[in-house]
Amino acid sequence: MSAMTVTSINALMEQLYLKYQQKPWTETLKLVHFCMDKPLRCPVSNDPGSPLLLCMEKIQRTLNAKSLFSMMNRLESLSRQKGLNSHVSPSGTTCYITSDMFYIEVQLEKDGNVIDAKLAHLGEAPVICDDLVEHLRMKNYDAVGKILENLSNLYQIPGNSEMKAKGYLALQSLEKDLYSMSLLDRTQDVNRVTEVLHGKVGHLVPRTGGTPTNIEFYISPYQILEAELNPGSQVCGAKIDVTVEGTDMLHKLPLSPLLDSQPGEDGNPAFLPLTDELSMDLSAYFLLKFHQPFPMSSSSIEEIQRLTGIQITGLKLAPLYELIVQSTLKEKGSEDLFTHKSRFFVSLPDSPKHCYFINTGSAKSDLAGALVSKIPFTHPKCVPDVIEILRHQMAYNSLISSCVSEKHTNEDDSELLYFEVAPHKNTSFSVFFLHPMKENLACVIIDVVTSREVQCSLHLNPRDPTLNSSDGFISRAVKRCMSVPVVMRAIFRNAAKVEADSKMQVDTKQKPEPACEQITDLNSLEESPSVAGHQDLVVTDKQSVPDSPKENLSTAKSEALGDNMEKSNPTVSMETLCRVEESTSTAITEAVMKDM
């Protein structure tokens, strides 16, 4: 039967080919445009996935809607794809996209151009939806479809229309409380970056039409520098959306704003109690939704669940560092490169190439993690604390991901500096490397206390020369750039200056020089940390480079040698430390932008 079916189909296609092979392509194109311009009055099939409907929708996506009829057909097709209804006004110039809970009114000119688009929720007056108007005029139908999908998701709550409307009312109450919290302790001259990093709920953008409320909660030093050098540019950090979702269990949700006008005794926001008049049991909860799955440690997940009182379901535990590496490579479009023994090559200006081994660590619970897509909660008071946990995790992830590059092979024989990044405990990790002047191992332990506080300690063999980088210097360097390769370059530069100055002093002893020149050399040595630090605290972009065989720095060897290491704290003058904190000069900034 199958053979006969294939034969009959081939025969039919051959007949069609013979029938139309004499017709010019221009006539076929006119026929397609005529069919697309003619309004489709009745559905071809009740099956939304029927081949004919899929074919017509594909053609509509390809063709540019240039007439009133084709524009109407495009809107009807989008509505059908998103499970919504649509109909055209008697005048033929207005298309209504409707559901039980909302409707959209799209007004068109006779040539198909969009005049206006209005959105009305159940019981509310229609308002102009600017983002929908913009996307329709730009013929960005994917974005229009996303708006329709987001609007429908607002009402995916079990129950009748009244219960769905209550769920939407609860979301409105939450949004008002979040907006009020964003205004607390806010000055008129506060900038967006300060809000992102320090605001109680980050930088909040209210919901408009079908675009949900979003919170920007973290931005990297790279992005801050880019924003400073390009005034008016929109540099986006890490964001989450705020929405509501239906569940199988009942949760008490507020139906009116709960934020009290008077703050609490500790200065934190105070909320009214959830009484029966202010709340209702609904089969729904609020959500903070990530745009991409976010790697989080098991301890952070447990802390969030304790704050919200709701379990985050669907999690699959795995080594946290493995998840961070995979997510970073996915952002770079190279997720297939990751293996458990991958090494990554980072290239920095005026520095030997770095090779980083990412050690995922053992399967201990505090070193495990999961990819989190959404965080459920029921009360607005949870949001500031959850945002702070997300900032902390994002800062930690940023440091680990700074060691990951797109390529993991080296194609030349250039000099390489080898580093191993390994979990230490909780929110800290270790960076092992060979001492620049000896064959012993050295180690920098980086502890991310909070998203705004990082503590570092340098450990050396007591018999090895100093690297001329104090713990304070390294901590400030990490905080300023949040990049392990940039900080390690700064440490190696300081060490190179110490070695060069040591050789110079030996030459001076062998061949005495005037006292004034010796004083100059001593002053130069004292200032060396600030000079190197000033150059290395500027953020530079990483480039992937290829591989060269060399001995591996295993964690076992590192820990064995680490037991005999002592903390090295070279003294640095106050003047030097102050210079490290100064903002970068224009010349250095231009060099950075050239490297980015």
Side-chain angles (χ1 to χ4, degrees), residues 469-481:
S469 295
S470 69
D471 292 350
F473 167 78
I474 299 174
S475 299
R476 286 188 294 274
V478 171
K479 181 179 177 181
R480 190 177 182 91
C481 66

Side-chain angles (χ1 to χ4, degrees), residues 197-209:
L197 298 177
H198 302 279
K200 292 186 183 299
V201 291
H203 177 68
L204 185 141
V205 179
R207 175 169 53 89
T208 57

Side-chain angles (χ1 to χ4, degrees), residues 243-261:
T243 186
V244 65
E245 184 177 277
T247 65
D248 297 331
M249 297 178 59
L250 290 175
H251 298 278
K252 188 176 287 296
L253 298 183
L255 297 182
S256 63
L258 298 177
L259 185 66
D260 199 340
S261 57

Side-chain angles (χ1 to χ4, degrees), residues 14 25 54 59 63 82 91 111 114 121 171 181 207 288 304 314 322 353 417 422 470 488 497 505 536:
E14 182 66 22
W25 174 245
L54 293 176
I59 294 174
L63 295 176
K82 303 305 176 182
S91 64
D111 58 0
V114 177
H121 292 274
L171 177 63
M181 279 191 282
R207 175 169 53 89
L288 297 176
I304 288 177
E322 182 178 326
K353 296 163 187 169
L417 298 178
S470 69
M488 298 312 300
K497 290 181 180 295
Q505 288 179 359
D536 289 310

Side-chain angles (χ1 to χ4, degrees), residues 229-371:
L229 297 177
N230 297 279
S233 62
Q234 188 66 22
V235 181
C236 296
K239 292 183 178 181
I240 47 177
D241 291 338
V242 182
T243 186
V244 65
E245 184 177 277
T247 65
D248 297 331
M249 297 178 59
L250 290 175
H251 298 278
K252 188 176 287 296
L253 298 183
L255 297 182
S256 63
L258 298 177
L259 185 66
D260 199 340
S261 57
Q262 298 297 327
E265 296 180 356
D266 55 358
N268 291 324
F271 296 88
L272 300 174
L274 273 178
T275 61
D276 293 339
E277 292 78 14
L278 299 179
S279 65
M280 183 177 181
D281 289 333
L282 295 172
S283 298
Y285 49 37
F286 302 128
L287 284 182
L288 297 176
K289 295 184 68 174
F290 295 94
H291 294 178
Q292 297 293 336
F294 181 52
M296 295 188 67
S297 66
S298 57
S299 59
S300 296
I301 294 173
E302 291 171 359
E303 189 174 357
I304 288 177
Q305 291 178 153
R306 180 186 59 81
L307 284 171
T308 61
I310 302 177
Q311 293 291 315
I312 302 175
T313 59
L315 299 181
K316 184 179 180 181
L317 291 179
L320 177 62
Y321 281 27
E322 182 178 326
L323 298 176
I324 294 175
V325 171
Q326 288 176 339
S327 296
T328 304
L329 290 175
K330 186 176 181 179
E331 291 178 3
K332 299 174 182 291
S334 308
E335 63 267 31
D336 57 327
L337 295 178
F338 177 76
T339 62
H340 290 288
K341 296 182 179 179
S342 283
R343 49 186 177 178
F344 303 100
F345 295 86
V346 177
S347 178
L348 294 174
D350 303 324
S351 171
K353 296 163 187 169
H354 294 193
C355 178
Y356 287 89
F357 297 84
I358 308 294
N359 190 320
T360 59
S362 62
K364 296 180 181 178
S365 59
D366 58 341
L367 300 178
L371 292 175

